[in-house]
Amino acid sequence: MFTGLIEEVGSVLWIRATDRGTQLQVAAPRMAGSVHTGDSISVNGCCLTVASHRQEQVTFDLVEETVARTNLGALKRDSPVNLERALAATDRVGGHFVQGHIDCTATIIAFEESDSRLEIGLPQEGSRYIAEKGSIAVNGISLTVAEVKPASFVTWIVPHTRRYTNLKTAQPGEQVNLEFDILAKYVERMAAGAAANGISLSS
């Protein structure tokens, strides 16, 4: 479990196929010294397990589902990635509960260097999970939805978030990872169960 508050922007050293599948190695000078093999780290919002670490480098194994469902497979050397360690029980939850389970990727429609308005395309299957003033994780960043459109949503990026995440280099056309709020998924599940049993949720 994560909060969507990015601790460090790491830099991809390499991503490559091995006899064990795909491996990703990231330079994370601030974080690498405090992690252990087996720890969970959110990389662009995707929960990954530390396979090994040394000095300032952290290595992860990626399964096929992760490569297919996220933007991690498109990473290249020097690509910036958002990093967050798993939430400790005593930590403050400054963002919202983020599982690190990516629902889909989406395309940045508009994001200008001089503007704080970020518009992202919204896949049809995900539109029911979006609500104005609700939460969403974009590349692992906890953001508040400001506006919902038929095929996109808008969020406003404060200067701190832009400066200390990989949104600093984000451009229109770029693919980002989306994780919808877990509360919306549970509500949908419960509503579907109630309907199947002939229970009305209306007052």
Side-chain angles (χ1 to χ4, degrees), residues 18-41:
T18 71
D19 55 358
R20 294 186 297 172
T22 302
Q23 281 198 321
L24 169 67
Q25 187 174 87
V26 175
R30 289 179 52 199
M31 187 179 295
S34 61
V35 303
H36 302 87
T37 300
D39 283 356
S40 294
I41 294 180

Side-chain angles (χ1 to χ4, degrees), residues 37-101:
T37 300
D39 283 356
S40 294
I41 294 180
S42 169
V43 180
N44 271 5
C46 183
C47 180
L48 300 179
T49 300
V50 175
S52 63
H53 63 95
R54 61 187 180 92
Q55 297 178 332
E56 299 183 348
Q57 303 165 1
V58 185
T59 303
F60 307 92
D61 293 317
L62 308 182
V63 298
E64 290 183 12
E65 174 73 3
T66 300
V67 175
R69 187 179 285 270
T70 73
N71 65 8
L72 299 186
L75 295 175
K76 301 176 181 178
R77 182 174 177 83
D78 297 328
S79 292
V81 288
N82 293 327
L83 304 175
E84 180 191 355
R85 289 170 294 183
L87 177 68
T90 55
D91 287 346
R92 289 192 178 98
V93 182
H96 72 283
F97 286 122
V98 178
Q99 290 184 292
H101 302 162

Side-chain angles (χ1 to χ4, degrees), residues 20 23 37 53 65 73 88 90 95 104 106 112 121 127 145 148 168 186:
R20 294 186 297 172
Q23 281 198 321
T37 300
H53 63 95
E65 174 73 3
T90 55
C104 63
E112 300 301 329
S127 61
V145 177
V148 181
K168 182 177 182 179
Y186 278 124

Side-chain angles (χ1 to χ4, degrees), residues 1-187:
M1 187 72 73
F2 307 93
T3 68
L5 300 184
I6 305 305
E7 295 184 71
E8 180 177 3
V9 178
S11 178
V12 172
L13 295 173
W14 47 256
I15 181 168
R16 63 193 181 196
T18 71
D19 55 358
R20 294 186 297 172
T22 302
Q23 281 198 321
L24 169 67
Q25 187 174 87
V26 175
R30 289 179 52 199
M31 187 179 295
S34 61
V35 303
H36 302 87
T37 300
D39 283 356
S40 294
I41 294 180
S42 169
V43 180
N44 271 5
C46 183
C47 180
L48 300 179
T49 300
V50 175
S52 63
H53 63 95
R54 61 187 180 92
Q55 297 178 332
E56 299 183 348
Q57 303 165 1
V58 185
T59 303
F60 307 92
D61 293 317
L62 308 182
V63 298
E64 290 183 12
E65 174 73 3
T66 300
V67 175
R69 187 179 285 270
T70 73
N71 65 8
L72 299 186
L75 295 175
K76 301 176 181 178
R77 182 174 177 83
D78 297 328
S79 292
V81 288
N82 293 327
L83 304 175
E84 180 191 355
R85 289 170 294 183
L87 177 68
T90 55
D91 287 346
R92 289 192 178 98
V93 182
H96 72 283
F97 286 122
V98 178
Q99 290 184 292
H101 302 162
I102 303 303
D103 291 298
C104 63
T105 59
T107 304
I108 295 177
I109 295 174
F111 194 40
E112 300 301 329
E113 186 174 351
S114 60
D115 195 0
S116 57
R117 179 182 181 275
L118 171 62
E119 182 175 358
I120 298 174
L122 186 59
Q124 185 175 2
E125 66 273 14
S127 61
R128 64 187 183 274
Y129 300 122
I130 294 282
E132 186 175 327
K133 293 182 171 54
S135 297
I136 189 168
V138 177
N139 273 357
I141 309 163
S142 176
L143 298 174
T144 300
V145 177
E147 181 182 355
V148 181
K149 296 187 172 187
S152 64
F153 68 93
V154 174
T155 182
W156 293 87
I157 307 302
V158 299
H160 178 90
T161 299
R162 188 162 195 162
R163 186 177 303 118
Y164 294 105
T165 71
N166 64 4
L167 289 181
K168 182 177 182 179
T169 58
Q171 299 290 330
E174 186 174 317
Q175 292 285 302
V176 292
N177 292 329
L178 299 184
E179 181 187 331
F180 303 115
D181 192 348
I182 188 175
L183 294 177
K185 300 172 190 176
Y186 278 124
V187 169

